[in-house]
Amino acid sequence: MGNIKIADTLKKYTMPIVLVAVFIFFSWQTEGKILIPQNLDNLLFYNAYVFILAIGMLMCILTGGNIDLAVGSVVCFIGSIGGVIMDKKINIWVAVLAMIAIGILVGLWQGFWIAYINVPPFIATLAGMYAFRGLANVIMEGLTVTVSDESFLFTFGNGHIPDILGSGEQNITCFVAGIIAVIVYACIVFYNRYDSKKRGYDTAPIVGDIVKTVVIGAVIIFLSYKLSYYKGIPTFLIWILVVSLIYGYITKKTVIGRDLYALGGNKKAAGLSGVNVKKVLFFSYVNMGLLAAFAGILTVAMLKSAAPTYGEGYEMDAIGACFIGGASAYGGIGTVPGAIIGALLMGVIDQGLNLMGIDANYTPVVKGLVLLLAVIFDVVSKREKK
């Protein structure tokens, strides 16, 4: 069974349990409206940017509780550039590459000041928040730019994969894809467990992996079943899954991933053990620029336009998703699945309160309290360990 206590395993899965409980609560309060296929599609649609930004923000937080306040403005800035380029009828892939390149440049700019000049991340990114929002307004001259290229909108926005296995009311392709995803996920979980045991590492009780696999598998099957009765697999969901898998691999299986956790765990010890502290910190902000650019692409495609107001509050959603999903405010602790769960929980709260007819002004209050409780849980857990 290993040396890890079952209580610790349960604590590890606190947020997934909370997510399921909150979903059940809103299902009851909305009389099942939140379970309608279109509402589930909307839940994912309107929170796509949070999933992407939360993954990038996690990389920053892991380095020691650092954050990036500029991401919302960068999303707007990148979107303004892409919108203007596509408005001139230039090839969409030129626009996409330009947006990604400029996002990386933004990350290089902020990472340089933070990692090599030692400007506090809060100050450097606060400056970026003002500057990039202003640049977006300058580029668009304060006006909204409409994006109408159908291939761009389908690929990154509101497109859905057509059913290639059937032609009836249910999208069979979507449902089969969900089943395959569950099988692949189960194989990965138990292979990783086998690999850890083979290398002599302590492993959590197997019941934890079984319960986790069953619960997550059930969620995937349920979601794919519901979406199969709407329009099928949304293209933006595929992008989210690809990004999640890539960064899940980076954080768990690569040297840079281990260095991120080491830096957040103990900066001085990490430096003495050979970790290039400045390089790792620099990487985290360059990466944030890249993912902010991608979030900008998705935002423009989903909203079919670029506007000076886009991205407002995005940074807070991303930060909140990470902390709610189990990332430590001190750094060194947090996972990509946790950030995704945090983002999903915030989305469920948003949509659930909306479907209940609760005044929208109360939504930030509830999200704020949930965030506070998550951070308190982190602080108390750390105090108990000491």
Side-chain angles (χ1 to χ4, degrees):
M1 295 289 287
N3 298 323
I4 301 175
K5 296 178 181 179
I6 293 179
D8 292 334
T9 303
L10 292 174
K11 186 180 289 185
K12 182 180 178 182
Y13 300 119
T14 298
M15 291 318 298
I17 294 170
V18 170
L19 174 61
V20 172
V22 169
F23 206 91
I24 291 172
F25 171 77
F26 282 122
S27 299
W28 168 52
Q29 288 295 314
T30 63
E31 298 179 347
K33 290 180 183 176
I34 199 171
L35 302 177
I36 295 173
Q38 184 174 354
N39 284 335
L40 289 173
D41 187 272
N42 289 339
L43 171 65
L44 299 172
F45 181 86
Y46 289 111
N47 292 279
Y49 71 89
V50 187
F51 295 121
I52 300 299
L53 292 178
I55 292 171
M57 193 67 71
L58 176 66
M59 305 295 109
C60 298
I61 290 172
L62 287 176
T63 61
N66 299 312
I67 57 175
D68 188 339
L69 293 174
V71 292
S73 296
V74 173
V75 166
C76 183
F77 174 57
I78 297 297
S80 69
I81 292 171
V84 169
I85 291 175
M86 285 183 278
D87 190 51
K88 297 182 182 299
K89 306 304 179 185
I90 297 174
N91 186 279
I92 64 161
W93 294 108
V94 173
V96 168
L97 291 175
M99 294 165 83
I100 291 174
I102 293 170
I104 293 173
L105 289 174
V106 168
L108 289 168
W109 167 263
Q110 299 205 126
F112 170 75
W113 296 113
I114 293 168
Y116 294 104
I117 309 300
N118 294 322
V119 176
F122 183 89
I123 301 301
T125 59
L126 179 63
M129 182 175 73
Y130 288 120
F132 294 116
R133 177 73 59 183
L135 285 172
N137 276 274
V138 169
I139 291 171
M140 291 185 284
E141 299 179 343
L143 303 174
T144 298
V145 178
T146 301
V147 176
S148 57
D149 189 290
E150 289 299 328
S151 59
F152 176 76
L153 298 179
F154 177 86
T155 304
F156 298 103
N158 57 357
H160 290 78
I161 304 301
D163 190 3
I164 59 175
L165 299 177
S167 57
E169 180 184 355
Q170 183 182 21
N171 187 311
I172 303 299
T173 302
C174 178
F175 188 55
V176 170
I179 294 172
I180 294 173
V182 171
I183 294 171
V184 171
Y185 175 73
C187 291
I188 291 173
V189 169
F190 289 103
Y191 173 78
N192 286 340
R193 181 181 180 83
Y194 165 77
D195 188 54
S196 294
K197 276 195 169 184
K198 187 178 178 182
R199 294 170 183 270
Y201 298 137
D202 283 338
T203 55
I206 192 170
V207 65
D209 284 333
I210 293 173
V211 171
K212 179 180 73 171
T213 304
V214 169
V215 171
I216 293 178
V219 170
I220 294 173
I221 292 293
F222 172 78
L223 188 61
S224 62
Y225 174 78
K226 285 291 186 175
L227 292 179
S228 71
Y229 279 100
Y230 182 53
K231 295 181 180 179
I233 306 171
T235 51
F236 66 82
L237 181 58
I238 295 175
W239 289 113
I240 292 170
L241 291 174
V242 169
V243 172
S244 301
L245 290 172
I246 290 173
Y247 282 90
Y249 178 83
I250 288 174
T251 53
K252 287 188 175 182
K253 301 293 185 180
T254 67
V255 173
I256 190 66
R258 289 192 291 271
D259 288 350
L260 285 166
Y261 286 100
L263 179 56
N266 189 318
K267 182 178 180 180
K268 187 175 288 186
L272 292 173
S273 64
V275 174
N276 189 326
V277 172
K278 291 185 177 181
K279 181 180 177 181
V280 174
L281 191 56
F282 182 66
F283 164 81
S284 68
Y285 280 92
V286 173
N287 177 72
M288 187 72 257
L290 169 63
L291 289 183
F294 193 63
I297 293 169
L298 292 181
T299 299
V300 170
M302 290 175 170
L303 300 179
K304 301 180 182 180
S305 62
T309 56
Y310 287 178
E312 291 181 350
Y314 281 20
E315 61 281 341
M316 298 306 171
D317 287 338
I319 294 167
C322 290
F323 289 138
I324 291 171
S328 171
Y330 305 101
I333 297 174
T335 63
V336 170
I340 294 297
I341 288 171
L344 193 56
L345 178 57
M346 292 177 71
V348 170
I349 292 172
D350 267 335
Q351 190 175 63
L353 292 175
N354 180 53
L355 291 172
M356 285 175 63
I358 303 296
D359 188 333
N361 293 317
Y362 287 103
T363 301
V365 177
V366 176
K367 290 165 71 174
L369 290 174
V370 171
L371 173 58
L372 179 61
L373 288 172
V375 174
I376 289 172
F377 180 79
D378 172 47
V379 172
V380 172
S381 297
K382 277 214 166 14
R383 191 175 297 164
E384 286 178 355
K385 286 180 181 179
K386 289 181 180 180

